[in-house]
Amino acid sequence: MSDVLRILLLALLVAAALVAVRRRLPVLFWWLVGYPAVTLRVLITYRATMDACGLTVPASAVRRATARMLGRQAAPVPPRRSLPLPTGSGLVMRLRMAAGQAPEDFNASADRLRHAWGAHAVHVRPTKPGRLELRLVGWDVLTDVRPPRRWLRTEPLTLPLALREDGHWHVRDFRTVPHELILGATQSGKSVYLRNLLCGLARQPVALVGIDCKWGVELAPFTPRLSALADTPDRANELLDVLVGEMEARFRLIGIRGGAGPDAVLTSDIWGLPEKARPVPVVVVVDEVAELFLAASKDDEKRRDAMVTKLIRLAQLGRAAGIYLEVCGQRFGAELGKGATMLRAQLTGRVCHRVNDETSANMALGDIAPEAALAATRIPAERPGVAVVGDSSGGWSRVRSPHLILEDAAAVCRDTSGLIPELPRLEAFRPVVAQPSAVPAVQPSARLVTG
């Protein structure tokens, strides 16, 4: 009897340990239990699952003839597969589709495959004609997102900002997607995404420019690393004039360098220039863009139209000059006024957190994929940081940024303040950074205790 009790106690301890490991160390639990169990289930039930999901094709004539000779019936043939290989968040199989099949067939059956194999999610990605990648995710990787331990890519202006639901990182590549629109309601995680963006850029030789018409409250912690900051609509209008002038000067530089001598290398942007002659990239962060569209008088309307026109010019022509836009706001819609839709069309990158109205979600993602806008409206309030990311190619995914507190982000900007590049045109807009004053320590006074 004592042996039975020992075995039961040991089994309970092992079960409790596995539950604790699953909650605190899901990656370790996946390698110890999840991957072997799911792999065995996939290998045993692969043919039957594919047949039940309608992903098989009739057997070839040779197989049917052979089966008739043996007195059997030829079974439907599933797609050829590779061995399930483990990944950091699940497993991946490469399939060779049969004639007449398309990736859309597997996308339509992804949810049924997920339930059949006991995975958290199944993602389908075509790799080449006739082949696709079937990726199974073992658990909800967006529950606890941490910064990547290492990042091997060293290209400039390339940042891993958020983890996608398929286990890959969403990489913000400014040279591929030069301008981006970031939307999110209060406490939706928009500020955390922006902190990760600014901290990643602060470590690179990039000029950071801020436009925050709420008197600089949102961008104030990052001022040690900012090359320029405009905190009122009037200052924003003046700063946009300077940025447009900087863009025009860079285009003149590109034209001069491209025609300088018979051996000159022709280029249409700053990245084709020699490294020594290449201007430093500029990233312009516009926080609460709706403030730029507000107008209470005729003068405000003229200033608003001028600022929106300059933003559209920067969005249309800034990529070649190395000037990139990050436009943020709580809402964004056509009702903001003239130029809103045209500006939105130039911001090919889209990040939509939880928003307060369906119009903003459609404005951000409706022209990319209607199902992406629908997914953005279903983000629960208790999961801040979750967003839907899309681009002009029509692809979209749910992502979540690593949590970064404001104090840590401000510390990064203070530590990298020496990387601020020299841009004479922006010197007049350099924010004043308050130096911490040395407060003399108060000596405790002696007190006579009587009793």
Side-chain angles (χ1 to χ4, degrees):
M1 187 67 180
S2 60
D3 293 339
V4 175
L5 290 176
R6 290 195 189 96
I7 294 174
L8 290 176
L9 181 60
L10 181 61
L12 290 175
L13 290 176
V14 171
L18 289 177
V19 170
V21 169
R22 184 175 185 178
R23 290 182 178 179
R24 297 184 177 273
L25 300 171
V27 177
L28 179 60
F29 180 84
W30 169 253
W31 284 95
L32 293 176
V33 180
Y35 171 67
V38 174
T39 301
L40 184 62
R41 191 180 301 118
V42 169
L43 293 177
I44 293 175
T45 65
Y46 177 74
R47 180 183 292 270
T49 301
M50 288 292 172
D51 189 19
C53 294
L55 298 176
T56 57
V57 295
S60 64
V62 176
R63 288 190 178 185
R64 292 197 301 270
T66 304
R68 282 195 299 268
M69 292 175 59
L70 298 175
R72 299 177 181 176
Q73 186 177 3
V77 179
R80 294 183 181 179
R81 59 163 178 81
S82 66
L83 289 176
L85 300 178
T87 63
S89 58
L91 60 85
V92 61
M93 289 189 302
R94 291 172 177 83
L95 306 184
R96 182 176 181 179
M97 293 180 290
Q101 290 183 328
E104 290 75 13
D105 301 331
F106 293 83
N107 277 319
S109 301
D111 200 49
R112 284 178 284 179
L113 295 175
R114 175 177 73 89
H115 287 289
W117 289 332
H120 176 74
V122 173
H123 299 277
V124 179
R125 184 177 68 90
T127 55
K128 58 177 68 175
R131 299 178 185 270
L132 56 83
E133 182 181 271
L134 201 66
R135 181 175 294 269
L136 278 68
V137 180
W139 70 97
D140 187 2
V141 296
L142 301 184
T143 300
D144 183 19
V145 180
R146 300 181 181 181
R149 294 183 178 180
R150 58 177 182 174
W151 182 244
L152 302 180
R153 298 180 64 177
T154 58
E155 292 88 347
L157 295 173
T158 302
L159 305 169
L161 291 181
L163 185 65
R164 296 192 325 207
E165 60 183 346
D166 60 358
H168 290 293
W169 279 89
H170 165 62
V171 180
R172 177 75 171 96
D173 187 354
F174 284 84
R175 297 180 62 178
T176 303
V177 182
H179 313 300
E180 188 174 61
L181 175 63
I182 306 172
L183 294 182
T186 304
Q187 301 296 324
S188 66
K190 172 175 62 71
S191 298
V192 175
Y193 182 89
L194 188 59
R195 291 172 200 166
N196 283 279
L197 175 70
L198 289 172
C199 287
L201 291 173
R203 300 184 178 97
Q204 299 189 18
V206 178
L208 297 177
V209 175
I211 298 177
D212 182 7
C213 291
K214 294 194 303 182
W215 297 278
V217 173
E218 295 291 337
L219 299 181
F222 314 107
T223 51
R225 184 57 180 84
L226 296 181
S227 297
L229 176 63
D231 54 3
T232 62
D234 290 331
R235 292 284 287 176
N237 191 24
E238 297 172 3
L239 179 55
L240 288 173
D241 279 330
V242 172
L243 290 172
V244 172
E246 176 71 19
M247 180 181 67
E248 294 172 353
R250 294 186 176 199
F251 274 111
R252 286 193 293 268
L253 175 63
I254 294 172
I256 292 173
R257 287 284 178 174
D263 298 331
V265 178
L266 297 179
T267 180
S268 59
D269 56 33
I270 64 168
W271 300 104
L273 298 175
E275 188 173 355
K276 293 182 178 180
R278 184 185 306 159
V280 65
V282 178
V283 177
V284 183
V285 179
V286 182
D287 194 73
E288 290 303 335
V289 65
E291 294 291 328
L292 298 180
F293 287 87
L294 295 179
S297 62
K298 291 293 183 180
D299 293 337
D300 291 344
E301 291 182 2
K302 293 179 181 179
R303 182 185 58 203
R304 178 197 64 189
D305 294 343
M307 287 192 294
V308 173
T309 301
K310 294 164 192 172
L311 282 174
I312 293 174
R313 288 194 63 193
L314 289 173
Q316 289 178 334
L317 306 174
R319 184 203 63 82
I323 300 177
Y324 309 102
L325 294 180
E326 287 289 324
V327 179
C328 313
Q330 293 190 21
R331 60 172 286 100
F332 197 89
E335 69 275 7
L336 291 180
K338 178 182 177 181
T341 305
M342 185 180 296
L343 177 61
R344 189 277 305 262
Q346 303 296 327
L347 307 175
T348 53
R350 311 287 174 81
V351 180
C352 186
H353 296 77
R354 178 179 54 83
V355 290
N356 293 325
D357 59 310
E358 188 177 351
T359 302
S360 295
N362 290 328
M363 195 71 171
L365 302 167
D367 59 334
I368 292 177
E371 60 272 18
L374 181 62
T377 60
R378 295 179 176 178
I379 297 175
E382 60 271 14
R383 299 199 71 181
V386 176
V388 176
V389 171
D391 54 46
S392 57
S393 65
W396 64 277
S397 177
R398 294 180 184 87
V399 301
R400 194 175 194 180
S401 301
H403 184 64
L404 179 63
I405 62 176
L406 186 59
E407 289 78 7
D408 292 343
V412 171
C413 291
R414 287 194 302 268
D415 296 339
T416 57
S417 58
L419 297 178
I420 296 180
E422 293 293 334
L423 284 176
R425 286 185 174 86
L426 299 179
E427 286 297 328
F429 297 90
R430 178 75 64 87
V432 178
V433 180
Q435 298 295 332
S437 58
V439 180
V442 179
Q443 298 294 332
S445 59
R447 188 162 59 100
L448 180 61
V449 179
T450 59

